[in-house]
Every structure is written in C-alpha cells, then in structure tokens.
Amino acid sequence: MDHPNATMTSPSGSTSAEAQAFLDAHPEIEAFDIVLTDANGVGRGKIVRRHELKSIFEGGRHMPISILGLDITGEDVHETGLIWTTGDGDLRAWPIPGTLVPLYGTSPPRGQLLMAMYMLDGRPMSSDPRLALARQVDILAAKGLYPAGAFELEFFLLANERDADGKVQPARAVLDGRVSGKTEVYSVDHLHGMEPLFSDIYAAAKAQGIPAETVISEYAPGQYELTLNYRKDVMRAADDLVMLKRLVRAQARRYGVTACFMAKPIEKYAGSGMHFHVSLQDKAGRNVFAEAGGENWSLPLLQGLGGLIQTMAESMLVFAPHANSWRRFVSQSYAPVAPTWGVNNRSVALRVPAGDAKNRRIEHRPSGVDANPYLIAATVLAGIIKGMDEGLDPGPETTGNGYEAAVTRTTMPVDWRAAIESARASSFLKNALGEDLHRTFVAIKQSEYLRVARTVSELDYHLYLHEV
C-alpha cells in the first residue's frame, strides 16, 4: 500500500535540486501555484506555502483522480470513469522539470509550477493531456525523429463592462483610456495604447523563460497576437503556451481589463486561433521536412500533410472543443473550413510558410485559442506519424482562395455535435490520445454539449417568444 508520505524517484524527471536552487535564488517568494492542466486546458491545482515545495519535488503531491474528469465549469463528469468508479481516490502529481518560475508582479511574491499526473506506482496517468503528448513524442523518438514547434497566441482584450446591448466590447487603451471600434490590423500606433500592459507581459514572460516575441494588432478591434520562438522540444513549446495564457490573463486583470481566450467572442469579427508550427528533426538535427536540392517538396513533408488531411475531420473536436469554437468557422474569416494545404496561403488549413528550406515546417491552422495545446500537438503528431507510416498523399496544393476549393475526399463535421460523434467513432483519435483520455475527453464534451443543447437562450426568446 502506498503511504501518503512515501518518497520515490520522480517519474517526471524532476529533482529536489531544482527546487532548492530556485528557493536559494528567490528568498522573497512565499507561496506557489501548482497547476495541473485538464482536458479542457484549464489549470487546476492548489496554492502551497514555500516550505512545502521541496517535499513536492521529493515525493510528488497527492491529488484526486477526478481533477482530470471535470467539465469546463469544474463539475464532475461521471461518464469519464474517473469519479465514483474509482472511488475518487488520490493519484500523485509530479513537477514538470523546467516549469518552476516566479510570477511577475504578485504581492506577496508567488511562484508557479506545472504538474503532471501519475499513478501511485509511477506509471503515467493515461487521462493526463500532457502525458498523451509525451507518448507521441516517444513514438517519434523510436523512429529517430524529434518534433520541434511553436504556437501562436491570438486573444482579445475586453472591457470588464458590457455595452448597452449586453455585448462584450474592446477594452479602452490602458495608457490613456482611448477606445477604438475599428479593425486596426497591424497598426503599430494602436499598440502604443496598450504599451504598459504589453511591457509587463514581456517582463513576466522573461521571468518565466518564455520566448515571447512579436506582438501585433490583429484582425478585429481589441484583438492581438503574440508569437513564440521556435522550440526544439515540442513538449516545452506546449508548456510555453499554457504558461503564456496564464500570465497574459493575470497581467490583463491587474490593468482592469479581461484577456479573452474564447474562439469567437464578438459575432461580427474574426475569431482567435492557436496556430501550431511543427517540423521534425533527425538525430543529426537536420530538418527532415526540408527539401534537398532539385526536389520540390520533401517526401516526409508531403506524407505528413497527407496524414493531417486524412485525419482532420475526425480530429476536429480536439481543434474546436466548445460550442463557441464552431462560430469561428465562417468563410473568409481566416479560419480554415476544409482539409486543404497550400504554400504561403492563409485560406488553407495546412500552410507551408515560404522561406528558407532549412526552416521548412507545417503551420496547422484549424485550432481555436480555446483548445488544449497538449491535445493539439499530440493529435497533429499522430497525424504526421500516420501519414509517414502509410505513405499518404496530400493531393494537389490549393492555390488562390482556399475557401472556394472543392473538397471531395473528406467530409468535415458541420457543427459541435457532429464533431463529437466523429471523435467518438475515431480509431485514429483513440490511438492519438490513448483509450482512457479519448473516453474522458469525449465524455466531457458530450456532457457539455447536452448542457448547452437544453439551455433556452435569450436568442430563443428573441426569435420565437412572440412569433410561433
């Protein structure tokens, strides 16, 4: 029987030396957020005191298994099999190496530590999203391939107050209170109004070792994008995105505005995506997606695209996991609506950016910013693996307006319900996520769908109350 205070070698690879070095370097920090990412990408956990940190690195921290079986509101979903079927027992969460960081601007000073869930005997907990990604990374490593990548973070900065119609509205500039209702895409001057907030976001990212780079004003009032530098370790790239979302939300709150990561918060403007850039390196560090002299595209790149195209329809629940996610897929909204690929073309789902061959990569564009980056990366890598293993052909490149491209080989889900049913029946997705996480994720989405479907909205009253 596992004793609550028993110690064992950390299955995550964390060491108490990391904790001690951090404590020595940061005597001012009094407490730590310990954060476990659930299937919806929501951080769940605890705030612990400074003196507790080393024991977490030495023996992990017991947490209930049900923490990975919650819906978006934090309520239990019994159909996951993670609640009373297991007696809601404790498992053991362990620190993710390299994620122990200070939280910028907190008072009193706090730190943050990402966690992953393991069985009491140290085996990976198969419904933990990060460990599903680790499994795909291991499959590639066995083939002598190592995924590199980066995510892009699009989001809105909204006022805390609604407008006269009860709708959300862009935040006023934190510098001088100005408000713009215009689409000021790529406007540098517009960014200046949010300069104090973005300065603190960059400072917080630097404190956490997150390679945040370019910020732009995006394709809607109040919408912005932050890019992240490419990582040779795709696991760390996903960690970057999880940590960046948390710190953007926290810094925005300190300035009295709301950082919104809904896929489509404002009905008349484009939604927010989470584009994932990915490539594969061999043991010598060579990018296997890069074409050699004389060839048009490398075979691994084309086969990877083929796998992603063939599996996209059944994977859409991962990329668009919520009811609101599906409002983003509107023609000419810069959100892809078909399993297409093209070069330097933002109207396709899979974009091969132009540029130096040594930097050749796939930009996976379907995902909304509301999706879980660990699940996105795990599913994308599994699709690439399938394409390479089976030698799949992506078909002809899409040129011009990809929204008008005819799609005959794959039927995409038309809405959230269809995506749930497609995911439920998918043997590919079951393999990509693992059977337990597949069951957990689909059960959570089904529970959330039923909750939304039975809700009588204000729109229902507007359309039908006095008309039918």
Side-chain angles (χ1 to χ4, degrees):
M1 180 177 178
D2 186 89
H3 189 275
N5 296 319
T7 60
M8 61 186 291
T9 301
S10 170
S12 70
S14 61
T15 66
S16 61
E18 180 182 357
Q20 187 61 59
F22 185 90
L23 292 171
D24 292 343
H26 296 279
E28 77 284 1
I29 289 183
E30 298 182 11
F32 296 87
D33 297 0
I34 59 171
V35 182
L36 182 74
T37 302
D38 72 6
N40 272 317
V42 176
R44 313 269 182 195
K46 306 177 181 183
I47 298 178
V48 301
R49 305 304 297 169
R50 178 184 178 91
H51 69 270
E52 299 178 81
L53 184 68
K54 280 195 70 176
S55 66
I56 292 172
F57 276 78
E58 292 168 352
R61 185 67 176 239
H62 283 242
M63 289 187 179
I65 189 173
S66 58
I67 203 170
L68 293 175
L70 304 176
D71 69 10
I72 194 68
T73 70
E75 293 188 9
D76 291 338
V77 178
H78 299 281
E79 292 79 7
T80 62
L82 300 180
I83 316 299
W84 299 124
T85 304
T86 64
D88 197 14
D90 280 346
L91 296 183
R92 192 175 290 188
W94 288 88
I96 297 171
T99 65
L100 178 58
V101 294
L103 290 175
Y104 179 83
T106 51
S107 181
R110 296 201 322 278
Q112 176 181 277
L113 177 63
L114 300 188
M115 309 286 283
M117 190 78 91
Y118 292 81
M119 306 300 287
L120 296 177
D121 62 5
R123 288 178 294 123
M125 199 283 165
S126 50
S127 285
D128 185 302
R130 191 179 190 275
L131 299 182
L133 172 55
R135 190 167 66 87
Q136 295 301 324
V137 170
D138 288 343
I139 290 171
L140 281 167
K143 300 174 181 291
L145 296 171
Y146 307 90
F151 289 87
E152 297 175 6
L153 182 69
E154 296 179 0
F155 59 97
F156 282 80
L157 293 176
L158 302 176
N160 291 341
E161 305 78 25
R162 305 286 181 91
D163 66 15
D165 296 321
K167 304 287 188 179
V168 298
Q169 57 184 332
R172 292 181 176 272
V174 300
L175 184 64
D176 56 13
R178 290 176 58 189
V179 63
S180 172
K182 298 180 292 184
T183 298
E184 303 196 61
V185 63
Y186 280 84
S187 169
V188 177
D189 290 345
H190 179 64
L191 293 175
H192 292 169
M194 291 295 180
E195 185 177 21
L197 170 55
F198 280 110
S199 292
D200 279 352
I201 287 172
Y202 280 125
K206 182 178 180 181
Q208 296 187 14
I210 299 172
E213 294 193 330
T214 306
V215 60
I216 66 171
S217 178
E218 258 291 354
Y219 202 68
Q223 188 184 36
Y224 302 88
E225 177 184 277
L226 273 170
T227 62
L228 290 159
N229 196 19
Y230 217 66
R231 291 277 198 181
K232 291 184 178 180
D233 178 359
V234 77
M235 299 284 291
R236 184 62 208 219
D239 293 338
D240 284 342
L241 199 284
V242 168
M243 295 165 72
L244 186 61
K245 283 182 72 172
R246 286 181 57 78
L247 75 83
V248 168
R249 183 180 282 117
Q251 296 305 319
R253 191 174 184 182
R254 290 190 174 89
Y255 279 88
V257 300
T258 296
C260 174
F261 300 108
M262 289 173 63
K264 182 81 167 177
I266 302 176
E267 60 193 43
K268 62 181 179 178
Y269 293 114
S272 295
M274 189 196 294
H275 303 161
F276 176 42
H277 295 251
V278 61
S279 61
L280 299 179
Q281 318 293 317
D282 63 16
K283 290 181 179 179
R286 186 184 70 88
N287 181 359
V288 303
F289 284 174
E291 61 273 15
E295 68 177 344
N296 193 11
W297 303 109
S298 76
L299 189 59
L301 174 70
L302 292 174
Q303 292 175 342
L305 289 167
L308 293 173
I309 285 172
Q310 186 179 106
T311 59
M312 189 174 295
E314 57 198 300
S315 303
M316 281 305 298
L317 186 62
V318 169
F319 309 142
H322 306 293
N324 179 259
S325 308
W326 291 86
R327 297 189 172 96
R328 175 172 161 260
F329 295 101
V330 179
S331 180
Q332 299 182 17
S333 66
Y334 288 95
V337 294
T340 52
W341 77 279
V343 181
N344 197 24
N345 186 337
R346 287 183 170 84
S347 66
V348 296
L350 303 169
R351 175 176 176 251
V352 179
D356 195 324
K358 71 176 184 295
N359 298 322
R360 192 68 66 219
R361 64 192 186 276
I362 296 170
E363 180 187 1
H364 184 273
R365 297 174 57 82
S367 300
V369 75
D370 56 343
N372 183 328
Y374 297 125
L375 298 188
I376 293 171
T379 305
V380 167
L381 292 183
I384 291 172
I385 292 168
K386 178 180 176 66
M388 295 173 66
D389 284 350
E390 299 179 13
L392 299 179
D393 183 350
E397 171 193 347
T398 295
T399 59
N401 188 346
Y403 299 115
E404 296 176 352
V407 179
T408 58
R409 290 188 300 167
T410 307
T411 302
M412 296 286 281
V414 296
D415 56 23
W416 193 26
R417 180 179 179 181
I420 292 171
E421 294 307 316
S422 182
R424 190 196 313 277
S426 172
S427 57
F428 163 77
L429 201 59
K430 187 176 294 186
N431 176 67
L433 304 182
E435 288 194 21
D436 291 338
L437 180 53
H438 176 266
R439 181 192 67 246
T440 297
F441 183 63
V442 171
I444 289 170
K445 295 296 106 184
Q446 177 68 20
S447 174
E448 291 172 356
Y449 168 78
L450 292 174
R451 182 172 186 160
V452 171
R454 66 174 174 258
T455 299
V456 181
S457 70
E458 188 63 35
L459 181 61
D460 287 319
Y461 295 125
H462 176 71
L463 292 177
Y464 309 122
L465 180 61
H466 299 293
E467 309 300 333
V468 295

